[in-house]
Amino acid sequence: MNYQKQCALIGNSIVALSFLMIVASCIKKQEPPNIIYILADDLGYGDIGAYNPDSKIATPNLDRFANQAMRFTDAHSPSSVCTPTRYGILTGTYCWRSRLKQGVLMGYGQSLIEQEELTVAELLKKSGYTTGIVGKWHLGLDWILKDGMEDSLESLGEKPIHTNLPPAWIDFSIPPKNGPKTHGFDYSYILPASLDMEPYCYLENDTLTSLPTVIDPGNDLNTGATGAFWRSGLISPDFDFYKVLPTFIEKASQFVIEHSKADKPFFLYLPLAAPHTPWVPTSEFQGSSGAGQYGDFTQMVDKYIGDFLQTLEASGVAGNTLVIFASDNGPYWKSEFIENYGHRSAAHLRGMKADAWEGGHRIPFMVRWPGKVAPGSTSDQLTSLTNLMATVAEILGVELKGNVGVDSRSIVDVLKGSKSDNKISIIHHSSMGMFAIRQGDWKYIDGLGSGGFSIPRIIEPAEGGQKGQLYNLKNDPGEKLDLAADSLDRVNGLLVELERIKSGRAK
């Protein structure tokens, strides 16, 4: 081989090697992932086939997602009802530290997130993300009062937060304040609260798309808040309960399509209003499940989530998108429904939505992150939905300082395959404000009864008797055997840990 050919080959090899080094460098310096957080509303641990093979509800899309993701078996909402969980997701802080000490806001409740509180959306926006929310807000809005009504607030008494203002006081022609746009979201399309709470309307970028000028009489008011139940109240003339889920998926899909073409990464928070009541499956899904209206509606939810994930795939950015799927709390599934349908919405767990028992707050939680999370993997790591803030911060390489995300702990190492840490503690909080603490296999409930919807709700302790409940969840996940009376040292230790967290921070 002559000298010129040798030089040419060497030169070509250097060019090829340089190209490979550039490619490797690009892979190593991969752009920050897009982040999508899908939050179902009142979906039970036992509704998804991947969690409960005996489910009477078909969930092929979520089952497929589980095969692509890491499925957590011991994940919990920080509260067993809506508003407090949403607060915890966005702020990384337990809601009982806020002005709302228990329960939920209604549709006319005041804004709960303080102006100075950093949200996940604000953190991501400061880090170069485009941020959006489509779905159920349920964190309050500062509706504008009509002239002369400002002084009327005094008639409601001094309260840390007004959970529901009289609608007659509100001027709906003026956009409310302190909505999603104030708390870090570049784009928002929301329902103010739950789909069974007035006002029945949408707000886009914190402005009503149509004024709620009509009184709706309510529906299925005698069902015990099940079925196609919604309360009487103001509604926009063009609002259709049966179209809320399709509308949210359409708006979310539009957001993904638009921002998948941009240079900036995006964050989409997609808190659905389903399968919370009203259970409103469209005709295509009616009678399709083995669990009545609820099951039919949940199958509709599964289908539309599948459609949304297909849109993400078609957008071309799914390979660099972290997708989280969770439920905000346990299901509203009464014991008579278990008897009627043979379906256990909370699987083997005791209780339901609102309870301190496991059925109130142990939830399906799955994370898909291509190239980072092993597809089809399972984790038994104890985790809480408050952990989003710290997890995002670690992904971005940002340090959380001061009072930001005090109850948030990153799960990045777990997602990448690290072993479970059984030394951490998390708190559960029932709708009635009953505390419970979990550490390792042990759970202590600081009260007697469910603390929520299940009967008995509250049991007054006998004089000199035990004041709480203690369960070993490894041996007794159904919380059938209360060990408090025989394990006073364990009870006292967990009480000390509970008080430590209440007076400080979880991490």
Side-chain angles (χ1 to χ4, degrees), residues 20 55 127 428:
L20 289 173
S55 175
S127 300
H428 316 306

Side-chain angles (χ1 to χ4, degrees), residues 5-81:
K5 287 184 177 180
Q6 284 181 322
C7 288
L9 285 172
I10 293 171
N12 289 339
S13 298
I14 292 173
V15 170
L17 180 61
S18 298
F19 176 75
L20 289 173
M21 291 175 67
I22 291 171
V23 171
S25 176
C26 290
I27 293 173
K28 186 176 181 180
K29 297 179 180 178
Q30 188 177 26
E31 293 296 319
N34 305 306
I35 301 173
I36 296 175
Y37 198 108
I38 305 172
L39 187 69
D41 195 358
D42 286 10
L43 182 73
Y45 187 89
D47 288 329
I48 301 173
Y51 280 87
N52 177 18
D54 295 325
S55 175
K56 296 296 182 69
I57 301 172
T59 55
N61 293 293
L62 288 172
D63 294 345
R64 186 178 306 112
F65 183 80
N67 288 330
Q68 302 166 345
M70 176 176 285
R71 181 173 61 88
F72 285 72
T73 60
D74 205 357
H76 299 261
S77 56
S79 171
S80 48
V81 284

Side-chain angles (χ1 to χ4, degrees), residues 411-425:
I411 61 168
V412 169
D413 286 348
V414 177
L415 294 175
K416 293 182 178 180
S418 293
K419 292 182 179 180
S420 298
D421 178 0
N422 62 4
K423 297 179 182 179
I424 67 171
S425 304

